[in-house]
């Protein structure tokens, strides 16, 4: 039996998934995605991930013959490497670069060119890179390749350096989505020679290195696929039809994508952006840090809540007003607060958190002009009230939930089997008709 491995590196967790040729999940391993505080700045624990991944691949090799590995990662992250490995640690994008923002704004391209909104900390990858070039000029002279994060893992596995548009076009300031080419920042900073040839996300870069085969027991002919940005992986199986639905990719970040909608309605001050799909098309998007905000409101181990807890929050006029993450989103810079009577138990806290992420998602879809079908992917598919509440707020729009809690894994599998779509099912949900829900939304919007 042959199978594909998807290495899925999210901001909070890292996952290895073993998926057979029909798209069925055979095995899975997870670990936390730690940020290390040693060294010159907070950075990703790539060596910890690497050793953990090798162990997972060894375990998976005993289950199936692995014929492909696909890296899928979060955005706003890149690696600077020479022929031997990292020249500098890979910065955590939540770290504020230790350089005046004004210096970067002086070289940053306008929003009209990149559709990349100005974001806090290192969420604009160009700011990270400009700071590293200033703070570590000696190290920068050793750099041979500037690799987006999925392609860094593909390079470590195969030894082949590549670029790919979904990570380049993810609020980096490096990409012009209208023209599908590098932005003026790349030329102005002299980074073009460091960027390897562009490859399609589904292209095989080569086979695993002999050392990887020896350490894992994988066959020497195991392919390494170029890889993709995670929310674009979630979007992938919904593209290609006559009318693509809007997609809510949910996890640490909730990203609303509206394929086919015009770009001219995007607003920088609302954290609206154009991502680039695997096929090279600009996709209007809007996002907020929904998974983290939900945890802030409900707790890291949230209790389940029933419709009664949701109704009590509505009846009491209890509102969670953005934001609770401090990073990005349409209300970045605002301190979150609870207006009205506070929740009195864990169930009500989970109910309020659910109402909050539903209202934020509804806000994003409306801002994008997404007036057709909507598909919910990712971790919020496990919340039984999320999609039904969204359906109640958006009458006339089918709201569907997939039976795959990780659209990123599905998209990764598709890259290894380009032209095929696994049998993931989407179910249109019935609205959860709570008394006063529409008026509650109107009051939340007015308060917000």
């Amino acid at each position: 039996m042959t199978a594909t491995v998807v290495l899925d590196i999210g901001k909070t967790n890292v996952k290895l998934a073993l998926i057979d040729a029909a798209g069925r999940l055979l095995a899975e391993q997870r670990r936390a995605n730690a940020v290390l505080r040693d060294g010159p700045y907070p950075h990703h624990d790539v060596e910890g991930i690497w050793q953990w991944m090798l162990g997972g691949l060894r375990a998976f090799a005993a289950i199936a013959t692995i014929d492909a590995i696909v890296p899928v990662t979060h955005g706003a992250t890149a690696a600077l490497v020479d022929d031997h490995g990292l020249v500098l640690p890979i910065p955590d994008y939540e770290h504020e670069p230790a350089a005046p923002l004004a210096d970067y704004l002086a070289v940053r391209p306008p929003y009209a060119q990149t559709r990349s909104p100005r974001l806090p900390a290192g969420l604009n990858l160009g700011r990270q890179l400009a700071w590293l070039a200033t703070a570590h000029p000696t190290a920068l002279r050793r750099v041979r390749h500037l690799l987006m994060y999925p392609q860094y893992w593909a390079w470590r596995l195969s030894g082949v350096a590549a670029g790919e548009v979904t990570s380049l076009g993810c609020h980096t300031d490096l990409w012009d989505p209208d023209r599908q080419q590098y932005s003026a920042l790349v030329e102005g900073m002299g980074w073009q020679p460091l960027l390897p040839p562009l490859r399609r996300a589904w292209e095989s870069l080569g086979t695993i290195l002999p050392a990887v085969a020896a350490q894992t027991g994988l066959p020497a002919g195991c392919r390494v696929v170029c890889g993709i940005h995670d929310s674009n992986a979630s979007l992938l199986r919904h593209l290609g039809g006559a009318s693509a639905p809007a997609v809510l990719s949910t996890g640490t970040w909730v990203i609303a994508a509206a394929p086919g909608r015009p770009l001219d309605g995007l607003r920088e001050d609302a954290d609206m952006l154009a991502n680039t799909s695997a096929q090279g098309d600009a996709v209007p998007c809007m996002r907020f840090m929904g998974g983290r905000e939900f945890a802030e409101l409900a707790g890291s181990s949230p209790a389940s809540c029933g419709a009664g807890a949701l109704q009590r929050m509505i009846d009491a006029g209890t509102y969670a007003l953005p934001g609770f993450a401090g990073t990005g989103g349409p209300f970045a810079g605002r301190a979150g607060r609870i207006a009205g009577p506070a929740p009195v138990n864990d169930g009500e806290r989970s109910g309020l958190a659910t109402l909050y992420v539903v209202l934020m998602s509804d806000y994003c879809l409306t801002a994008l002009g997404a007036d057709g079908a909507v598909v919910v992917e990712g971790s919020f598919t496990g919340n039984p009230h999320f999609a039904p509440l969204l359906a109640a707020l958006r009458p006339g729009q089918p709201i569907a939930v997939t039976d795959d809690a990780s659209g990123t894994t599905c998209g990764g599998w598709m890259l290894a089997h380009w032209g095929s779509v696994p049998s993931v099912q989407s179910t249109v949900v019935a609205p959860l008709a709570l008394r006063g829900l529409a008026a509650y939304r109107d009051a939340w919007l007015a308060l917000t």
Side-chain angles (χ1 to χ4, degrees):
M1 175 176 56
T2 61
T4 296
V5 170
V6 176
L7 170 64
D8 182 0
I9 302 178
K11 190 61 174 67
T12 304
N13 295 295
V14 184
K15 182 174 69 175
L16 270 181
L18 181 68
I19 309 168
D20 71 11
R24 293 183 294 263
L25 182 67
L26 301 177
E28 183 177 281
Q29 294 190 12
R30 293 175 179 260
R31 63 162 273 167
N33 190 6
V35 173
L36 302 181
R37 305 290 170 180
D38 59 346
Y41 45 79
H43 57 95
H44 291 290
D45 182 17
V46 294
E47 291 310 313
I49 294 173
W50 178 256
Q51 295 301 325
W52 170 84
M53 179 187 67
L54 293 177
L57 291 174
R58 283 194 295 271
F60 287 176
I63 300 173
T65 300
I66 298 170
D67 62 1
I69 303 174
V70 186
V72 179
T73 80
H74 60 78
T77 305
L80 298 167
V81 303
D82 60 15
D83 288 334
H84 307 290
L86 288 174
V87 170
L88 288 166
I90 298 177
D92 172 31
Y93 64 57
E94 294 185 76
H95 172 65
E96 183 75 26
L101 176 60
D103 291 352
Y104 179 62
L105 295 181
V107 299
R108 180 175 182 259
Y111 177 73
Q113 180 188 128
T114 64
R115 306 289 183 173
S116 172
R118 174 180 161 186
L119 298 172
L123 276 163
N124 292 126
L125 179 59
R127 187 182 176 199
Q128 292 182 40
L129 297 172
W131 163 61
L132 291 175
T134 301
H136 303 276
T138 301
L140 263 290
R141 285 194 287 272
R142 292 170 37 213
V143 173
R144 182 171 180 191
H145 300 300
L146 194 172
L147 301 173
M148 298 299 105
Y149 204 31
Q151 286 70 55
Y152 165 72
W153 293 101
W155 174 78
R156 285 201 68 166
L157 288 162
S158 70
V160 178
E164 194 275 325
V165 294
T166 62
S167 292
L168 282 166
C170 173
H171 52 80
T172 62
D173 294 343
L174 305 178
W175 194 249
D176 181 334
D178 289 303
R179 295 176 176 81
Q180 289 296 302
Q181 63 187 33
Y182 292 114
S183 74
L185 179 65
V186 172
E187 181 179 356
M189 296 298 292
W191 293 334
Q192 184 88 44
L194 304 179
L195 291 160
L198 293 175
R199 305 284 292 271
R200 293 292 194 178
W202 57 83
E203 287 188 46
S204 294
L205 301 185
T207 56
I208 56 172
L209 293 167
V212 174
Q215 289 175 286
T216 60
L218 269 62
C222 177
R223 296 179 295 127
V224 179
V225 177
C226 183
I228 193 169
H229 169 232
D230 55 8
S231 63
N232 272 286
S234 293
L235 183 65
L236 197 57
R237 76 180 184 89
H238 304 290
L239 300 177
S243 179
V247 177
L248 280 174
S249 173
T250 65
T252 302
W253 287 95
V254 174
I255 302 177
R261 301 298 299 180
L263 301 183
D264 53 13
L266 299 182
R267 292 171 33 226
E268 182 173 17
D269 62 352
D271 199 358
M272 302 174 79
L273 64 150
N275 277 343
T276 295
S277 74
Q279 291 96 328
D281 298 317
V283 180
C285 294
M286 193 172 184
R287 81 277 168 72
F288 65 102
M289 219 167 189
R292 185 168 295 176
E293 292 190 286
F294 187 96
E296 285 292 321
L297 287 163
S300 57
S301 300
S304 60
C305 74
L310 296 165
Q311 189 67 66
R312 287 194 298 274
M313 292 295 90
I314 293 171
D315 291 344
T318 299
Y319 303 93
L321 303 176
F324 298 92
T327 304
F331 304 104
R334 297 192 193 183
R337 65 185 180 91
I338 295 175
V344 299
N345 55 45
D346 290 344
E348 289 188 357
R349 279 184 279 275
S350 289
L352 182 62
T354 297
L355 287 165
Y356 174 79
V357 294
V358 168
L359 290 169
M360 286 290 291
S361 299
D362 176 67
Y363 180 90
C364 291
L365 290 168
T366 297
L368 289 169
D371 53 6
V374 178
V375 176
V376 180
E377 299 269 13
S379 62
F380 283 10
T381 61
N383 184 324
H385 306 304
F386 177 81
L389 284 170
L390 192 63
L393 289 173
R394 307 185 73 82
Q397 291 184 246
I399 309 295
V401 174
T402 71
D403 62 357
D404 175 15
S406 176
T408 55
T409 301
C410 173
W413 180 93
M414 286 180 62
L415 294 180
H417 301 80
W418 192 243
S420 300
V421 180
S423 57
V424 176
Q425 301 298 314
S426 296
T427 303
V428 176
V429 300
L432 177 55
L434 295 179
R435 183 178 61 254
L437 178 61
Y440 180 84
R441 173 182 56 187
D442 293 343
W444 181 86
L445 287 169
L447 290 166
T448 297

